[in-house]
Amino acid sequence: MYTTEDEEFERIKRWFASYGIWLLALVVLAALGFGGWKGWGYYQARQGTQASALYSQFQKAVQNKNTQAIDSTAQKLTGSYAGTPYAALAQLMRAKLAVTGNKLDAAASDLQWVIAHGSQTTLRTLATLRLAQVRVAQKRPDAALALLNSSLPTAYMPLAKQVQGDAWLIKGDDAKARAAYEEALASAQLAGLPTETLQMKIAALPANTKGGA
């Protein structure tokens, strides 16, 4: 379910590890002035360092498949370091693990946390797309479509339109499913992304189905 997003997921982690704390520091410096920056910048840097160390523990727990450690470190991140991307990253990974274990309700809960509390727009967007996928898996197409009603960055259009097509297919509207799949296909081709899955989905639709609203 998540294979098309893993590179973006890793890129966010690497970016924040290198630049996130200092970018935040610059924003605070501009807002509060140098005097306020000294104390606030130290606090934020300390928070980021502690969250990074805790997230490393979380990753080790994931590698070791230690469910208790996964849950406890994730809870510490969301409880004490919710303002850092590490908390959202942990919740995204927990959701992925939950989906793998067919625990869709748990996955939805973790993704909703990211949507409500994630500190970066990109992470919230990823969570929205993943939650829509989970709603489709739960046979809740209206909930999936509602999540995808808002405008999303162009880079996410191939996946967003594909999930919309899946939702319309569940609702029994082959015409809207085809229209969404064809939009996804066009976006994927424009971006140079793999299109085999989309082509198979379009081909599986009834031959007399025409795309349209």
Side-chain angles (χ1 to χ4, degrees):
M1 184 179 290
Y2 296 141
T3 55
T4 60
E5 300 165 356
D6 286 343
E7 288 187 6
E8 178 72 8
F9 189 69
E10 291 300 321
R11 185 187 68 77
I12 293 167
K13 290 192 296 182
R14 291 195 300 271
W15 183 90
F16 187 78
S18 300
Y19 305 111
I21 295 300
W22 305 114
L23 180 60
L24 179 60
L26 289 173
V27 172
V28 174
L29 176 61
L32 301 181
F34 186 71
W37 145 250
K38 284 185 177 180
W40 180 251
Y42 171 77
Y43 171 77
Q44 289 291 354
R46 185 167 178 269
Q47 282 286 98
T49 300
Q50 291 175 342
S52 177
L54 192 57
Y55 187 73
S56 293
Q57 295 177 28
F58 173 82
Q59 288 179 305
K60 289 179 182 178
V62 171
Q63 292 171 359
N64 295 330
K65 299 181 180 180
N66 186 334
T67 303
Q68 183 176 355
I70 289 171
D71 291 341
S72 64
T73 51
Q75 287 169 5
K76 288 177 183 176
L77 283 165
T78 56
S80 300
Y81 305 99
T84 71
Y86 296 107
L89 289 169
Q91 291 299 89
L92 286 168
M93 177 56 71
R94 284 218 319 174
K96 182 175 181 178
L97 295 172
V99 168
T100 301
N102 200 32
K103 299 177 181 178
L104 299 181
D105 289 342
S109 178
D110 291 333
L111 293 169
Q112 286 170 327
W113 188 95
V114 179
I115 293 169
H117 305 288
S119 60
Q120 289 190 337
T121 301
T122 301
L123 295 175
R124 294 194 300 271
T125 301
L126 286 174
T128 299
L129 288 168
R130 293 183 177 186
L131 182 57
Q133 290 175 297
V134 168
R135 294 310 188 202
V136 166
Q138 292 175 317
K139 307 299 181 186
R140 296 179 56 187
D142 289 328
L145 291 169
L147 286 163
L148 299 172
N149 272 341
S150 58
S151 59
L152 295 170
T154 303
Y156 298 100
M157 280 300 103
L159 179 58
K161 290 298 179 180
Q162 180 174 328
V163 177
Q164 281 184 341
D166 294 340
W168 285 118
L169 197 60
I170 292 173
K171 288 173 69 68
D173 194 327
D174 292 344
K176 288 185 177 179
R178 180 181 289 277
Y181 287 149
E182 288 179 346
E183 284 189 64
L185 180 62
S187 297
Q189 289 172 332
L190 190 62
L193 297 173
T195 60
E196 290 83 358
T197 298
L198 284 165
Q199 289 174 343
M200 289 175 61
K201 289 184 176 185
I202 292 171
L205 291 169
N208 61 348
T209 301
K210 295 183 179 180

